[in-house]
Each structure stands twice: as C-alpha cells, then as structure tokens.
C-alpha cells in the first residue's frame, strides 16, 4: 500500500520545519561517533575509577567487548517500576553471556502521578521529566558506554529518558519495559465508585476498597493513560523489541524479553556491524509513526506535550497542527478504558500492538521504511513474542482481531478519526480529546465560571453552585504558573454534572490526565494566563464556545479582550513540597504548545 497522502504531507512539513535543526543534530552525533569507543579516550586514572567495582573489568581500554550502561528509574514507590529492582542482575548475566560488560550508569527520579493527584507534589510532575533528562545526562557523562538500556515506564519517565537518548544520540538506546499489572477491579467500576463518592453517595471506606482492588500489584496501571501510551509509543517508534510493551511483570516471557533486549543492545554498538545510534532511530518518520499510534489507540493527551519536547532533543520540530492533521486521517481502532471497558491486558490479548501496526501498515498509515533497534523496517513489529524454553522467538502476529469489541481493523474502526483536535480561537491555542466524549458534547456554548485552582471548583460543586450549563475555566495552571499539574481529580466532579443532564466543559491552561475520559476538556491553552494570555481576561458570566467539530475556542462576550488581565499570585505555588527548588524552571519554561520544556 502506498503511503497515505496526509502521512506524507505531515512528514514533509515536519522535515521542512526542521530543515536547519535536524541536519545540525545529525552532524553533532556523527562527530561524537567518529571518535570510536568512548572509553578508549579515557586516561588510565579515569578508567581505574570507572571500572574499580567491576568483577570482569579486564582491560577495558582495549577490549572489543561492548560496555552497556543501565539508566534505571527503579523505585518501589511506583508499582510500574518496582519490578526493575531485579533487572540489573538479569541484565548483567545476559550481558556477560552475550560477550558484554554491564554497569548501572545511574538512577533517575520517578514520581507517581497517582499519589500526587490534587496535591502540591503534582506541581513538580511535569518538571520531573526535565530532571530525568538531566539525571540521565549525568549518568552517561562518564563517556564509557557503547550502548544504553533505559528502564522506565510511567508518565514523565519515558519522555525524560527519550530526551536523554536523543541528546546522547550517538549511543544506541534500547528501552526495557516492565509491563502492566494483571487485571483487577474493572476500571469502569472504579470510576463509578469515584463518582458516587464525589456525589456523597458512598463513604471513603468504599472508595478505598475500590481503589485498592484496582491498583493491586506490581506493574503499570491497567487503564490506557499516559504510562501505557508511553509503552505503545516505544513500540511504534522502534525502541522496544516487538511485542514487549504489554507482557506482565515477573513472568518467564517478560524475563526472556529483557534478556533479548540486552543481546540486541550488545549487537548494535559501533563495535559491531549493526551500529544503530539512537539519533538515527529518532527521525521524522519515527515521530510521525508515534503520533499515528497515539491516534489509533486513543492515547493520552499528555503526549501532545511530551512528543514535541522529545523530538526537539533529536532536532525534529513538531507542532500541534501535526497531531490535528494526523488525527483526522487515522482511524480509532481500539476501545481501552477510558475510551471503552477493556484494559490493556484485554487489548493485548485481542491482538494488541502487533495487530494494529500490521493493519496501519497495510492501510499506508505508517512509515514502513524506518530504522529500529530490531533492524530496518517496521514490519518486524507485527510479530508476536513466544517462549521456546527460556528463550524468546517471534512468530507471525494475529491477522484478525480476536475481540472486535476491543480492537478493530483499520477498514472498520470504532471511529474514522483519532479524536484529537487542535483548538484555535480568540482564547488561544490548545487541544481537546473527544474519543470518549458523547457527540452531543463536542460543541458546548455556555456561561463561564472562573476559578484559579481545582479546589475552588470542588468547593463550588459541594455548595450546589452548578445548576446550569457551564464552561468551567480553571486558569493559572500552566507551566510558568505552577508547573502545569494534571487536573484529573476534577473528572469525577464534572462527570457527576454531566450525569445530571448539564452540558459542561473544562477550559484550562493546565493538563488533564491520560484518563480524562468523557468530560470535554479544552486543555493546554496557550498563551497561559500567568503570561497575561486571553484566559486572564475572562470573567464569570462570559459566554464561551468550545467547538471540537470546527476546532475553535472563543469568548463570545463583546469587549472582553479590552479588560485588564487578572493578576497572577505566584505565592500559592512558590514553596512547600520542594516547589521553591523549581522556581528557575517556572521562570524559564517554554509554552505548552512547544513541549513545556526547560532543557530543550
């Protein structure tokens, strides 16, 4: 199948937009690669320090053995990262068997958005992505690694690791996932209890019981939020081994895939014949493929922020118009919670990413001619990993969906588009995800209620103040204001209002979660209110129209734009929970439409 015209057009536009930055980037990583194995340039004293603790250090200055560095996001605060505790030992054994040496180069922080939702700590969440990139740079700064293994799964961790992999683009990069936890309490039942608690119909004991039954073991949360969207992305972009994303932790297949990932890392260094530097994998086509995967699966809106920052680290410049145009061309092929009742384990069993990649390739909606850690070409990612003893091998993947209530072919999708729209109007630019929103809510025109934080919204709800159709404006939530925390804790409150028959939408310069679901939410609005963007001039009673059909967001009240901007009070986010340490980040962060980044 020839490449779809929209895929080709968007790729060409990105290539043209990046016509200066991408060649300069490739020249930079080529210069780094030309120096050969980096450790050969270290002094004897440098090397003695670097290898003093290794049991098999040998003569690292002259050996042809590749030295693999592990950058790990392990902690046992995150269920998704807890399995990584034992990965270094597995990786060392696999590396030695493959004729390589292995060192843990360094660790990176990994916070849990599920713990910090609605709390002050969430204001560090987005910035943690840049901290992860910085910490990874420190880990790799020892200049002694021929390849890097990146162990990370969740929301900001993978994007931060990708920024590092792009920055150290001369080093091959293999991403090693840990997999989702087994299915627990169905996500729709958990969401129902959350709404019942928000409405005062059940007590905290029932809420806690439901939450603990849902999040119950090591592994990624099973809904299709940002963490699992990250895993999809790594497979579509060729940085995982085929089929690796959604294999459960602590299983023989999971360990065999980890071993295979180590073997692949050892094989693609500059010391061998299959050199595959990360910077060559991370090209325009790879990022387009990642965006296509995001649309086809109904993935997290957080990636609309992360992908531009990730791409910029590799000299590729993305814009939200790219997401919009690709979404219009790519069918929604999956229904995974919050876009459906299934979780990622059900999705994987129905044929998963391998089936989707095959379908999208056949439809001309993916670039097939890409470089991946698995070799050249994306068609290898249609295969399914299987165990043969304790080794993994790949067999042809599913050609037909095994459950068409979860996964459908590109020719008969759940929806003809990916459901992500760019919004542009007199209130600024942003995005809205409508794949789980009822069609009658794709256009909402109503009076505004204006708030400066999500707690004010909850207080107004408890006071019974929402009695008519309403546009809930939550401003001063952008990256420069308070680090752009997710406003996911508003979802149950606003969902209750929808269930009462009101037409309600959220407008914010902040973020929602990958699990934002059925509430129409115009998010990432830029310029943000803290920079005197249009939202700073909105008042209670102004009529706002959020139109996901035509891609517009406008205030319809005459004369609103001539008002003085509402003053921004930074004191609420200036200190506590480490926020004082991030003042420089808030002062220098870029706009959300360009990735809300500090380091790229």
């Amino acid at each position: 199948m020839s490449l779809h015209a929209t895929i080709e057009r968007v790729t060409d536009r990105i290539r043209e937009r990046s016509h200066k930055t991408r060649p300069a980037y490739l020249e930079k990583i080529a210069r780094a690669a030309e120096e050969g194995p980096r450790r050969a340039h270290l002094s004897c004293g440098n090397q003695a320090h670097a290898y003093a603790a290794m049991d098999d250090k040998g003569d690292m200055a002259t050996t042809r053995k590749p030295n693999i560095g592990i950058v790990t996001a392990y902690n046992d605060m995150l269920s998704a990262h807890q399995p990584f505790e034992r990965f270094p030992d597995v990786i060392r054994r696999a590396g030695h068997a493959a004729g390589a040496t292995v060192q843990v180069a360094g660790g990176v922080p990994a916070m849990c958005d599920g713990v910090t939702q609605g709390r002050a700590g969430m204001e560090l969440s987005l910035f943690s992505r840049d901290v992860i990139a910085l910490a990874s740079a420190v880990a790799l700064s020892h200049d002694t690694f021929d390849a890097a293994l990146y162990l990370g799964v969740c929301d900001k961790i993978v994007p931060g690791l990708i920024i590092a992999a792009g920055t150290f683009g001369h080093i091959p990069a293999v991403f090693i996932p840990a997999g989702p936890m087994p299915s627990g309490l169905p996500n729709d039942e958990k969401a129902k209890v959350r709404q019942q608690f928000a409405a005062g119909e059940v007590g905290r004991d029932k809420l806690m019981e439901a939450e603990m039954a849902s999040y119950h073991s090591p592994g990624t949360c099973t809904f299709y939020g940002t963490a699992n969207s990250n895993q999809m992305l790594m497979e579509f972009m060729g940085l995982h081994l085929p089929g690796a994303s959604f294999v459960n932790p602590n299983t023989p297949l999971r360990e065999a895939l980890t071993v295979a990932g180590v073997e692949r890392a050892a094989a693609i260094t500059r010391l061998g014949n299959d050199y595959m530097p990360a910077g060559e994998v991370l090209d325009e086509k790879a990022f387009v493929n990642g965006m296509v995967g995001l649309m086809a699966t109904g993935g997290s809106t957080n990636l609309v922020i992360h992908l531009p920052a990730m791409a910029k680290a590799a000299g590729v410049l993305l814009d939200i118009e790219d997401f919009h145009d690709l979404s219009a061309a790519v069918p929604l092929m999956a229904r995974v919670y919050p876009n459906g009742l299934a979780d990622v384990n059900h999705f994987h069993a129905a044929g998963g990413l391998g089936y989707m990649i095959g379908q999208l390739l056949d439809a001309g909606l993916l670039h097939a001619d890409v470089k991946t850690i698995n070799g050249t070409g994306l068609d290898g990612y249609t295969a399914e990993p299987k165990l043969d003893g304790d080794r993994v091998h790949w067999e042809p993947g599913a050609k037909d969906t095994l459950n068409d209530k979860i996964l459908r072919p590109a020719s008969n999708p759940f929806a003809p588009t990916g459901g992500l729209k760019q919004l542009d109007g007199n209130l600024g630019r942003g995005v809205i995800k409508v794949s789980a929103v009822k069609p009658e809510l794709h256009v909402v025109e109503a009076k505004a209620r204006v708030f400066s934080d999500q707690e004010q919204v909850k207080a107004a709800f408890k006071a019974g103040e929402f009695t008519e159709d309403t546009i809930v404006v939550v401003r001063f939530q952008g990256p420069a204001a308070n680090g752009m925390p997710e406003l996911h804790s508003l979802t149950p409150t606003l969902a209750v209002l929808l269930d009462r028959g009101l037409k309600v939408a959220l407008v914010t310069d902040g973020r929602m979660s990958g699990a934002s679901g059925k509430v129409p939410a115009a998010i990432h609005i830029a310029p943000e209110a803290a920079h005197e963007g249009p939202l700073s001039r909105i008042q209670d009673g102004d009529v706002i129209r959020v139109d996901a059909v035509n891609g517009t967001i406008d205030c319809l009240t005459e004369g609103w734009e001539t008002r003085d901007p509402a003053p921004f009070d930074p004191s609420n986010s200036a200190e506590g929970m480490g926020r004082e340490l991030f003042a420089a980040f808030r002062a220098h962060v870029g706009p959300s439409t360009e990735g809300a980044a500090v380091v790229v």
Side-chain angles (χ1 to χ4, degrees):
M1 174 68 72
S2 60
L3 192 64
H4 190 285
T6 298
I7 308 301
E8 188 169 20
R9 175 171 55 84
V10 171
T11 306
D12 286 344
R13 184 171 67 203
I14 294 170
R15 189 176 289 116
E16 175 58 29
R17 194 187 296 131
S18 312
H19 75 280
K20 291 183 179 179
T21 53
R22 179 66 179 173
Y25 169 80
L26 291 174
E27 183 180 346
K28 179 189 77 170
I29 66 170
R31 286 196 306 269
E34 284 172 1
E35 297 183 16
R38 308 295 295 183
R39 63 183 176 277
H41 303 282
L42 297 179
S43 73
C44 295
N46 294 148
Q47 291 187 65
H49 281 289
Y51 312 124
M54 293 177 66
D55 291 334
D56 56 347
K57 46 185 171 287
D59 186 359
M60 292 295 291
T62 58
T63 182
R64 297 295 296 175
K65 286 185 176 182
N67 189 33
I68 299 172
I70 302 171
V71 179
T72 178
Y74 162 71
N75 64 45
D76 57 11
M77 182 72 200
L78 278 75
S79 61
H81 291 87
Q82 186 270 350
F84 287 138
E85 181 176 16
R86 55 185 295 270
F87 274 41
D89 287 338
V90 173
I91 291 168
R92 287 189 192 96
R93 290 195 299 270
H96 296 164
T101 54
V102 178
Q103 294 177 288
V104 174
V108 302
M111 63 181 290
C112 182
D113 290 1
V115 175
T116 57
Q117 287 287 351
R119 309 291 297 171
M122 173 52 81
E123 296 182 15
L124 307 186
S125 174
L126 180 59
F127 290 145
S128 76
R129 178 195 66 193
D130 291 42
V131 173
I132 289 161
L134 292 169
S136 300
V138 172
L140 296 173
S141 67
H142 299 100
D143 206 16
T144 186
F145 301 110
D146 300 294
L149 293 176
Y150 294 92
L151 312 185
V153 175
C154 285
D155 295 27
K156 264 59 65 188
I157 293 88
V158 167
L161 294 175
I162 286 287
I163 292 172
T167 303
F168 288 79
H170 62 288
I171 301 176
V174 175
F175 279 66
I176 304 288
M181 67 179 67
S183 302
L185 180 75
N187 286 293
D188 60 319
E189 293 184 29
K190 172 195 68 182
K192 180 179 179 180
V193 175
R194 285 180 174 177
Q195 288 182 219
Q196 290 173 331
F197 179 76
E201 297 171 3
V202 300
R204 189 175 178 84
D205 58 335
K206 294 296 183 183
L207 178 64
M208 178 59 78
E209 181 181 329
E211 299 286 357
M212 295 293 283
S214 180
Y215 308 115
H216 62 95
S217 75
T220 315
C221 308
T222 60
F223 62 83
Y224 195 55
T226 310
N228 287 317
S229 296
N230 284 338
Q231 301 312 293
M232 171 280 301
L233 200 69
M234 293 301 92
E235 202 150 325
F236 269 77
M237 292 178 66
L239 289 161
H240 277 176
L241 288 177
S245 296
F246 299 133
V247 175
N248 299 124
N250 302 317
T251 60
L253 181 56
R254 174 84 276 155
E255 182 160 323
L257 282 163
T258 299
V259 170
V262 179
E263 293 169 347
R264 195 61 195 151
I268 61 176
T269 75
R270 203 167 187 274
L271 298 174
N273 298 321
D274 294 322
Y275 180 46
M276 189 62 70
E280 292 187 13
V281 175
L282 293 169
D283 67 0
E284 300 92 340
K285 293 179 181 179
F287 284 104
V288 168
N289 283 352
M291 288 188 282
V292 168
L294 189 68
M295 304 311 161
T297 57
S300 169
T301 55
N302 280 330
L303 271 302
V304 181
I305 292 178
H306 295 319
L307 273 163
M310 294 156 65
K312 192 179 294 185
V316 177
L317 303 182
L318 305 182
D319 187 86
I320 58 174
E321 68 174 340
D322 302 324
F323 294 88
H324 176 89
D325 289 355
L326 291 172
S327 180
V330 176
L332 179 66
M333 297 169 57
R335 285 290 191 199
V336 188
Y337 188 85
N339 300 332
L341 298 182
D343 66 23
V344 293
N345 294 307
H346 304 138
F347 166 77
H348 186 64
L353 297 179
Y355 172 79
M356 291 193 77
I357 290 172
Q359 285 286 312
L360 291 165
L361 284 170
D362 289 345
L365 290 167
L366 287 172
H367 289 285
D369 56 336
V370 292
K371 294 180 179 179
T372 75
I373 64 163
N374 199 45
T376 301
L378 196 64
D379 57 341
Y381 283 78
T382 64
E384 183 177 0
K386 297 284 188 180
L387 273 180
D388 182 5
D390 61 355
R391 303 283 299 173
V392 66
H393 71 283
W394 279 265
E395 298 178 356
K399 296 295 185 183
D400 299 300
T401 176
L402 303 179
N403 188 333
D404 64 5
K405 294 180 180 179
I406 300 171
L407 189 57
R408 289 187 181 175
S411 59
N412 181 31
F414 292 101
T417 69
L420 188 78
K421 297 288 190 76
Q422 175 183 217
L423 297 175
D424 199 346
N426 63 24
L427 287 178
R429 295 180 79 204
V431 296
I432 186 169
K433 177 183 173 183
V434 294
S435 52
V437 175
K438 293 179 179 179
E440 59 266 29
L441 294 173
H442 287 191
V443 178
V444 181
E445 181 179 318
K447 293 179 181 178
R449 284 292 310 276
V450 183
F451 304 91
S452 295
D453 63 57
Q454 55 190 323
E455 293 307 315
Q456 293 176 355
V457 180
K458 295 175 187 177
F461 171 80
K462 291 178 181 177
E465 296 178 12
F466 295 108
T467 58
E468 60 182 351
D469 295 350
T470 307
I471 302 287
V472 177
V473 177
V474 187
R475 64 189 178 194
F476 302 123
Q477 302 299 304
N482 62 353
M484 207 178 186
E486 288 181 352
L487 305 179
H488 176 49
S489 65
L490 288 180
T491 301
T493 298
L494 299 179
V496 169
L497 297 178
L498 292 180
D499 290 344
R500 291 176 180 173
L502 301 180
K503 292 187 75 173
V504 177
L506 174 70
V507 172
T508 181
D509 48 11
R511 295 185 293 136
M512 287 295 281
S513 168
S516 52
K518 66 181 182 179
V519 178
I523 57 178
H524 310 173
I525 301 298
E528 64 175 285
H531 285 164
E532 299 187 354
L535 290 185
S536 68
R537 292 172 168 82
I538 297 298
Q539 296 178 358
D540 284 352
D542 287 347
V543 177
I544 292 176
R545 181 179 177 87
V546 177
D547 187 341
V549 176
N550 295 303
T552 59
I553 180 167
D554 295 291
C555 180
L556 307 181
T557 299
E558 187 174 350
W560 69 274
E561 66 271 21
T562 65
R563 299 172 187 152
D564 291 334
F568 168 56
D569 178 8
S571 62
N572 291 334
S573 294
E575 61 184 24
M577 284 297 138
R579 289 177 291 182
E580 50 270 74
L581 299 176
F582 285 79
F585 282 64
R586 294 190 294 273
H588 295 97
V589 66
S592 58
T593 48
E594 297 177 16
V598 177
V599 300
V600 290

